[in-house]
Amino acid sequence: MFASPTHIFIVDDDKSFGRSLQRLLNAIGFAAECFGSARAFLDSVPFDQKGIAVVDIHMPEWDGFWLIDKMQELRYSMPVIVITGHTEAGSRDTAFQRGAVGFLQKPFNQQSLLDLIEAQEEAGYD
């Protein structure tokens, strides 16, 4: 019996980037879904869903740091990998202080993301 594919939840307001990443991850064998906002993610993904969240920092309305805090408040147990297209002093440290398991700056090497996902799978994130 085969294990079900890991769910990857991409939260990024850049629709083109999100869909491209979703296609890549699905082609590799993950079950990837893309959400254009923190609100869309929270409205669609229950707190007890197993998976890994890949969250952009800079989004309108609620940013990625807000989403990480909200996920903790609502008791989501999935690990969060933070991605960003903007270099800001301290954002990497802030991401890790808030509980992120990885941090990547766009454009990033796809293998870097896959390595972070694999590390979470090996750690038994669920």
Side-chain angles (χ1 to χ4, degrees):
M1 183 170 162
F2 295 103
S4 60
T6 299
H7 284 84
I8 308 293
F9 301 99
I10 304 157
V11 186
D12 195 321
D13 63 314
D14 181 342
K15 291 179 185 178
S16 176
F17 175 83
R19 287 189 180 126
S20 176
L21 187 54
Q22 179 182 8
R23 282 191 299 273
L24 168 73
L25 293 171
N26 283 336
I28 293 171
F30 294 106
E33 294 181 60
C34 190
F35 302 91
S37 69
R39 179 186 302 270
F41 171 82
L42 292 173
D43 287 348
S44 301
V45 180
F47 78 94
D48 59 349
Q49 173 69 51
K50 302 294 184 204
I52 299 170
V54 177
V55 177
D56 188 21
I57 293 175
H58 299 281
M59 296 183 287
E61 190 177 5
W62 298 325
D63 69 15
F65 292 141
W66 180 91
L67 179 56
I68 293 170
D69 293 344
K70 193 67 170 177
M71 288 174 70
Q72 290 174 351
E73 177 186 322
L74 296 172
R75 302 195 186 278
Y76 280 77
S77 62
M78 68 178 68
V80 177
I81 298 168
V82 171
I83 58 176
T84 185
H86 305 280
T87 305
E88 293 178 358
S91 58
R92 179 183 184 86
D93 292 339
T94 300
F96 286 117
Q97 288 168 354
R98 292 200 167 155
V101 299
F103 184 93
L104 296 171
Q105 185 172 336
K106 298 177 190 174
F108 51 82
N109 178 301
Q110 296 169 350
Q111 189 60 50
S112 298
L113 176 60
L114 296 176
D115 290 346
L116 287 170
I117 292 170
E118 182 179 322
Q120 291 308 303
E121 289 179 316
E122 289 176 358
Y125 70 91
D126 57 2

